[in-house]
Amino acid sequence: MAFQKSYWLNVTAAIDVVNLKPDLKLAIRESQVQDGFLIATVSDGLGALVVAPEGLEKDRELLRWLKEWQQQRVEPPKRAYLSYLFGASLTLAVIKGEMSIDLNATVYLLDFTEVEKRRGWQI
């Protein structure tokens, strides 16, 4: 059985770190999958998905580092390097209707676009 869902959210011109765990948990519940795989993807090259400890969106050191790294790169195509490093897709096991990640971790979308826009991502 396959279940597919697209999501949209508004992002700012700054680097955004968005907690996706509630949306992923809802998608698992809606799909009624008990055991299988969850594959999440970001459609363009200016975003990435990561599993990290909760609170990453408040980690000022990480946000400062990402901003500095992005500003060093003069050529716009090199902004996509962040998604290459972190990954534009993420595959997680679903066991007994739950994501198999650390209880203190969550899934984040890192958005590197430099304009306000609607960001799409899919499960």
Side-chain angles (χ1 to χ4, degrees), residues 12-81:
T12 67
I15 293 173
D16 294 299
V17 180
V18 182
N19 183 343
L20 300 181
K21 193 173 184 178
D23 292 322
L24 295 173
K25 289 175 101 173
L26 179 61
I28 292 169
R29 209 170 27 253
E30 287 176 358
S31 72
Q32 299 178 356
V33 169
Q34 290 300 303
D35 296 297
F37 292 98
L38 178 146
I39 302 169
T41 60
V42 180
S43 56
D44 66 18
L46 298 175
L49 297 165
V50 297
V51 175
E54 289 185 3
L56 184 68
E57 70 276 15
K58 297 173 188 165
D59 186 335
R60 291 185 182 174
E61 184 67 21
L62 172 73
L63 296 174
R64 183 188 60 74
W65 179 83
L66 289 172
K67 186 175 182 178
E68 286 177 3
W69 194 94
Q70 187 177 23
Q71 289 173 345
Q72 292 177 36
R73 308 296 182 231
V74 177
E75 301 171 47
K78 290 189 177 180
R79 290 185 299 135
Y81 286 1

Side-chain angles (χ1 to χ4, degrees), residues 7-11 18 20 23 109 117-121:
Y7 292 87
W8 293 92
L9 55 98
N10 294 324
V11 293
V18 182
L20 300 181
D23 292 322
L109 166 69
K117 70 176 214 170
R118 289 190 41 83
R119 150 72 66 200
W121 63 281

Side-chain angles (χ1 to χ4, degrees), residues 74-108:
V74 177
E75 301 171 47
K78 290 189 177 180
R79 290 185 299 135
Y81 286 1
L82 286 171
S83 64
Y84 303 155
L85 292 171
F86 290 111
S89 67
L90 184 65
T91 302
L92 299 171
V94 175
I95 301 169
K96 297 181 182 176
E98 297 288 331
M99 287 183 288
S100 64
I101 61 174
D102 185 296
L103 294 176
N104 296 319
T106 192
V107 178
Y108 290 99

